[in-house]
Amino acid sequence: ETGVTQTPRHLVMGMTNKKSLKCEQHLGHNAMYWYKQSAKKPLELMFVYSLEERVENNSVPSRFSPECPNSSHLFLHLHTLQPEDSALYLCASSQEATGPNYGYTFGSGTRLTVV
Amino acid sequence: AQSVSQHNHHVILSEAASLELGCNYSYGGTVNLFWYVQYPGQHLQLLLKYFSGDPLVKGIKGFEAEFIKSKFSFNLRKPSVQWSDTAEYFCAVNANTGNQFYFGTGTSLTVIP
């Protein structure tokens, strides 16, 4: 384990379902991120939370809704997804006081399949 | 906008062969550079990083990378690969003043015993 825990590891959902991805970190970091990893495409940054406030939202469709209730937990709420949203969703954290220069710590990801 | 290019999408090598994976970025300012590795079924891990100083950076498991500022490159090297190096390798760039990373598309390395 890396200190960043994502659940569930695998998720299959229909296009009309509502589900949530959960990320939890025990590293004392104060910034958390959602990334989408699709085959043969660059890692795409979806959301950044710094000190529990959202600072980046790279034009992600509204069917993805993040929530960061505290510095240790990050959620990604999903509703009415499309098949092209099937991908590996990665959570990461970093310590902003020392800067992201020290690199992220990634979770193992949630493999999402939309049917 | 920053971007990162990894030109080798899939590399196949025999054990003991030498490895060099290319990484080029586009950004005119000061950057921090990273290589991440993702072994099959595992999470992304930091392999090595460059902030400043000696442009030749040593990482874990015998990997190294050289920052060539004039070429905007940060190529990853290993003199002799092992079967256990089979993985996906990602190059990433972060502007010195920002908290956003830009990743390349990744290079899949397969090492044949």
Side-chain angles (χ1 to χ4, degrees), chain A residues 2 9 33 35 37 40-43 45 48 50 55-56 58 88 90 96 100-104 106-108, chain B residues 9-10 32 34 36 38 41-44 46 49 51 88 90 94-96 98-101 103-105 108:
Chain A
T2 66
R9 296 292 296 269
Y33 313 80
Y35 275 88
Q37 185 178 16
K40 300 306 177 188
K41 293 177 69 174
L43 273 169
L45 178 65
V48 177
S50 174
V55 293
E56 291 275 355
N58 294 318
L88 181 69
L90 289 165
E96 288 239 312
N101 301 340
Y102 290 86
Y104 288 171
F106 282 91
S108 300
Chain B
H9 295 297
H10 195 181
N32 304 303
F34 306 81
Y36 284 87
Q38 187 173 25
Q42 295 189 32
H43 56 271
L44 275 165
L46 182 64
K49 57 187 182 291
F51 301 148
E88 190 91 14
F90 292 88
N94 152 247
N96 204 33
N99 66 357
Q100 184 169 339
F101 277 57
F103 285 83
T105 52
S108 175

Side-chain angles (χ1 to χ4, degrees), chain A residues 15-30:
Chain A
M15 290 190 284
T16 59
N17 291 158
K18 288 185 180 181
K19 296 286 184 183
S20 296
L21 310 185
K22 180 181 177 182
C23 177
E24 189 172 356
Q25 58 97 1
H26 306 286
L27 302 169
H29 289 170
N30 57 14

